[in-house]
Amino acid sequence: MTQISFHVNVPDALPYACRLLRKAYRVGARVVVTGPQRELQQLDKLLWTFEPLEFVPHVMVHAGAVADASVQAQRQGTPIWLMAQLTQDVPAEAVVLNVGEEPPEGVERFARMIDIVPAAEAQRDAGRRRWKHYLAAGHSPEKHEVAD
């Protein structure tokens, strides 16, 4: 069963995601970030600039990308993947980080998922819907309250 952690009351989701991804990279974890394409593009830019003297290696994986040898080599050597939908070529040992308002499909293949819930009321409501979705699917999500 997938361990699901909700990080709630996050003041600003994408900078928070950058800090989580930096921490994951430092400990050698593989992470797949999923969410709407627009937010993934913003996260891609932010990962280049949020820390002036540090780089968090990542790759944007576009839907329908050709699975040729060069693309596979790039993916395998990069610990953080940004992709709108989870695909079968995502390694099951990866941690899933959801920055979207919908639960990602196929999360049951993974051992761990982190779901970011911003403090804004509309986004908190979406987080509550995701929490109920996971409960209905038989998961036991845990809550991690984020302090300012």
Side-chain angles (χ1 to χ4, degrees):
M1 182 71 51
T2 305
Q3 176 191 352
I4 300 176
S5 301
F6 275 71
H7 291 216
V8 300
N9 291 324
V10 175
D12 199 349
L14 296 182
Y16 183 79
C18 286
R19 292 190 299 277
L20 283 178
L21 293 170
R22 177 180 57 195
K23 183 177 179 180
Y25 169 64
R26 287 178 177 171
V27 298
R30 178 166 286 208
V31 181
V32 176
V33 184
T34 186
Q37 191 67 35
R38 182 178 51 99
E39 289 186 30
L40 294 177
Q41 290 170 338
Q42 291 173 350
L43 181 60
D44 177 40
K45 290 177 185 175
L46 201 54
L47 282 168
W48 285 96
T49 61
F50 90 103
E51 190 66 48
L53 300 176
E54 191 170 10
F55 173 67
V56 178
H58 64 283
V59 63
M60 179 74 79
V61 181
H62 298 283
V66 178
D68 65 16
S70 64
V71 171
Q72 287 299 338
Q74 181 184 23
R75 287 182 183 180
Q76 289 174 357
T78 306
I80 298 167
W81 298 1
L82 311 179
M83 54 194 320
Q85 294 181 327
L86 299 174
T87 60
Q88 291 301 319
D89 60 341
V90 176
E93 71 273 6
V95 175
V96 176
L97 176 62
N98 184 32
V99 297
E101 291 192 1
E102 298 297 325
E105 291 184 32
V107 74
E108 61 280 348
R109 289 191 317 111
F110 301 92
R112 183 155 188 233
M113 186 189 87
I114 299 171
D115 196 300
I116 297 177
V117 182
E121 191 60 37
Q123 293 166 319
R124 288 177 60 195
D125 287 344
R128 289 182 188 106
R129 286 191 300 275
R130 291 192 304 278
W131 181 281
K132 289 176 184 176
H133 167 83
Y134 294 122
L135 284 175
H139 296 280
S140 300
E142 59 185 41
K143 184 171 106 171
H144 173 71
E145 191 78 33
V146 176
D148 286 342

